[in-house]
Amino acid sequence: MAIDWESVIGEQPALAILPTRLREVARQRPFAKGETLFRQGQRPEVMWCVLTGEVRLVRHSTEGTEIILQRSCGGFMAEASLDAEAYHCDAIAAADGRLLCFARSAFRAALDDEPVFNRSWIQLLAREVRRLRARSERLSLNSAAERVLHYIEAEGTDGVVALNQPRKVWAAELGLTHETLYRTLRQLREGGFLVIDEQRIALSAQKK
């Protein structure tokens, strides 16, 4: 089935950077919740872009605890696999959705041959590095309250976050148990630091 690029780019403007040669070889792939898209140690053959749904890149600690390295609800994921000999984590679907897949060899060739695409890709990676740096900084914070407030300031817009995930999943992303997150949100709301309305969480005027 042909890909409607006008519709796809309308939903995800970042994909406008893709040159014609990559659009021509792209294929769509559905996935189901709970499906494993690749496993740690497997050799990468494609580049992945999430169109709908959610995919998580995860590792497991020696105690068996799931560590979420990346959540993708839209856009490229596992970008480092472009030059890796093997995946360093598992990719698990957290919700039904669709992917775009590009042969890794074709993706590399496009980067080598098309300077505009190359520069756009570097800019995209730079934004991802900034996001991951903020996440690393957040996880280094000692208190749960500091992590919650940092997330809202770093990931939100004008001090507001509209969560598109269950709070239990958000807790894992913050490196907290869901009990700790719920307790912290209640304390921050009662202390006048947050205004919480369902999935909308905003910094109060006194915090700003």
Side-chain angles (χ1 to χ4, degrees), residues 19 22 38 45 52-53 74 86 89 102 106 111 119 127-128 135 146 162 173 190 197:
L22 280 182
F38 58 76
E45 299 292 344
T52 62
C89 58
F102 308 87
L111 287 171
R119 288 194 297 272
R127 288 194 295 272
E128 181 66 11
R135 183 172 187 269
E146 287 177 313
E173 189 174 347
E190 293 173 352
D197 181 13

Side-chain angles (χ1 to χ4, degrees), residues 87-178:
Y87 288 115
H88 299 291
C89 58
D90 299 339
I92 311 295
D96 296 350
R98 291 181 297 118
L99 289 160
L100 278 180
C101 303
F102 308 87
R104 191 168 72 153
S105 58
F107 208 92
R108 281 176 167 173
L111 287 171
D112 288 341
D113 299 339
E114 309 223 11
V116 173
F117 175 50
N118 190 299
R119 288 194 297 272
S120 297
W121 180 250
I122 290 172
Q123 292 169 355
L124 184 151
L125 293 181
R127 288 194 295 272
E128 181 66 11
V129 167
R130 288 194 293 271
R131 189 188 69 81
L132 292 175
R133 185 177 294 157
R135 183 172 187 269
S136 177
E137 177 184 346
R138 183 158 54 247
L139 292 176
S140 72
L141 299 174
N142 291 324
S143 77
E146 287 177 313
R147 293 187 188 185
V148 169
L149 295 174
H150 184 284
Y151 183 95
I152 296 169
E153 292 173 335
E155 306 292 338
T157 301
D158 295 329
V160 179
V161 163
L163 291 179
N164 59 359
Q165 59 183 319
R167 292 188 184 178
K168 190 171 183 179
V169 175
W170 186 31
E173 189 174 347
L174 293 172
L176 306 171
T177 65
H178 63 278

